[in-house]
Amino acid sequence: MELIVQKFGGSSIADGDRLRRAAGICMRQRLNGNEVVVVVSAMGDTTDLLADRARVLGGKPSPREMDALITTGEQQSAALLVMTMESLGIPAVSLAGWQAGIYTDCRYGDSDIRLIAPVRIREALSRGRVPVVTGFQGVCAAGDITSLGRGGSDTTAVALAAALESDCCEIYTDVDGIYTADPRLIPDAVKLDAIDYRDMLALAEAGSQVLHAKSVELAMANSVVIHLLSSFNDAPGSQVRALRDGSRPDFAGITRSRTSGEISLAGKAADAAALSRAVLLLAAEGIEVLSGSVGDGRISVLVGEAEQPRAMQLLHREMILDALK
């Protein structure tokens, strides 16, 4: 028997049909004889809608009250998923972050997990129930509810997987794996069977929205294997785990920062020579590089906004697809 942590993102539980599908995914693991702990995000755009309600009141809401407000989205998800599970004959119980023993610092809006004491989670498992835990939140020493920042439900799932010494952390989203680039921007992007923690972290820190950087850091520090899967099909997905350098491609992916507009390539070959190659490739196509840098496991270039799609396609074709051959 294995212990599996499953996390469902907001799009995976956005309505009744998707809640039932998520419950069915959990049921399959139970039928295989495994124990399951579930972590949920808020449904759909709930967090944004709650934040908008606070803004229309005018003034500047306190960070403490904003956390008290926006974390209610996950509580709705947890309760609704438990109701769905129970309607299918799966015994389950919802647990808010503080009930699940997730303790954080008191940095409202972007807190870090300091300790997990999963007493009630283990108690539920011992009684044959599925604990459905609210992601994105915990409780600080002052007794206040705190939020973990954007993407914090991924962090909750990985942290619980580490604390419970689970066999795997499955993260269900609306994509079917990790690609070398966003397929919506780069049609010839390739799905990866596995990606090294270091490469995934470099991509996350450079702007990739696939996984939250904190969750990848936690997974790497605790050797938690992340299995990214689609909620909507049975594709095998992609794993984030430790790979030998011989199994890592020179470059595993390319992404673009939504804030700075920088284009970054992540991989073991991310050095000054690779940056020079990227600049020369772009210059040969008449694309001016405004700046470039070498970071921890990645190289980055900045080009004009109008040239960014063409630059990404060129670098993906010449430096990533070439490396995967």
Side-chain angles (χ1 to χ4, degrees):
M1 181 175 67
E2 295 184 342
L3 172 60
I4 309 296
V5 174
Q6 297 180 329
K7 180 258 177 176
F8 293 96
S11 61
S12 299
I13 50 173
D15 55 36
D17 287 340
R18 295 183 182 187
L19 283 165
R20 282 186 287 275
R21 182 167 181 83
I25 291 170
C26 174
M27 181 184 288
R28 283 205 300 268
Q29 285 288 7
R30 299 253 304 175
L31 291 174
N32 288 334
N34 297 322
E35 293 183 315
V36 182
V37 175
V38 174
V39 175
V40 290
S41 298
M43 299 171 69
D45 298 322
T46 300
T47 303
D48 289 333
L49 293 172
L50 289 169
D52 287 343
R53 287 186 181 180
R55 293 188 190 100
V56 299
L57 298 175
K60 186 178 180 182
S62 73
R64 179 189 184 278
E65 298 309 324
M66 282 299 295
D67 273 6
L69 172 67
I70 62 176
T71 53
T72 61
E74 283 71 21
Q75 294 175 46
Q76 294 175 43
S77 295
L80 288 167
L81 183 55
V82 167
M83 293 174 191
T84 305
M85 287 178 168
E86 289 178 336
S87 73
L88 298 175
I90 306 170
V93 60
S94 65
L95 296 172
W98 63 270
Q99 293 172 312
I102 300 172
Y103 296 95
T104 73
D105 58 27
C106 284
R107 197 153 46 102
Y108 303 108
D110 191 25
S111 61
D112 289 323
I113 296 173
R114 296 302 188 200
L115 172 71
I116 294 183
V119 176
R120 292 189 66 176
I121 293 176
R122 293 192 186 280
E123 179 183 297
L125 290 171
S126 70
R127 295 184 177 183
R129 304 170 86 183
V130 176
V132 179
V133 181
T134 54
F136 178 62
Q137 63 183 255
V139 62
C140 70
D144 295 335
I145 295 172
T146 53
S147 73
L148 306 180
R150 285 291 180 181
S153 292
D154 289 347
T155 306
T156 302
V158 173
L160 283 176
L164 294 165
E165 299 182 336
S166 79
D167 296 276
C168 184
C169 180
E170 299 178 343
I171 294 185
Y172 289 88
T173 71
D174 54 3
V175 297
D176 62 358
I178 298 168
Y179 284 76
T180 52
D182 186 339
R184 294 169 296 186
L185 301 175
I186 311 292
D188 56 352
V190 176
K191 186 162 77 73
L192 301 170
D193 293 330
I195 184 171
D196 187 80
Y197 292 122
R198 292 164 288 181
D199 298 333
M200 190 67 249
L201 179 59
L203 287 169
E205 291 178 337
S208 171
Q209 303 295 303
V210 176
L211 288 170
H212 194 259
K214 284 184 183 179
S215 69
V216 182
E217 282 182 316
L218 265 175
M220 183 164 58
N222 294 280
S223 299
V224 173
V225 175
I226 298 175
H227 198 174
L228 191 80
L229 298 153
S230 171
S231 298
F232 309 114
N233 61 53
D234 296 324
S238 304
Q239 286 191 347
V240 183
R241 54 186 172 87
L243 299 177
R244 294 179 179 177
D245 280 349
S247 301
R248 293 170 65 195
D250 284 347
F251 290 99
I254 187 170
T255 191
R256 180 176 59 182
S257 169
R258 292 185 179 183
T259 53
S260 70
E262 278 192 327
I263 296 168
S264 298
L265 290 90
K268 67 180 183 182
D271 56 17
L275 177 61
S276 296
R277 182 188 173 201
V279 172
L280 290 172
L281 284 168
L282 294 168
E285 293 296 321
I287 301 173
E288 181 185 3
V289 177
L290 304 176
S291 65
S293 62
V294 179
D296 189 12
R298 70 177 186 266
I299 60 170
S300 302
V301 294
L302 180 64
V303 303
E305 186 175 355
E307 298 284 15
Q308 287 176 9
R310 191 160 68 100
M312 287 189 71
Q313 290 171 357
L314 172 65
L315 294 176
H316 182 266
R317 182 178 70 247
E318 297 297 328
M319 297 186 71
I320 294 182
L321 293 186
D322 183 65
L324 291 174
K325 289 178 182 177

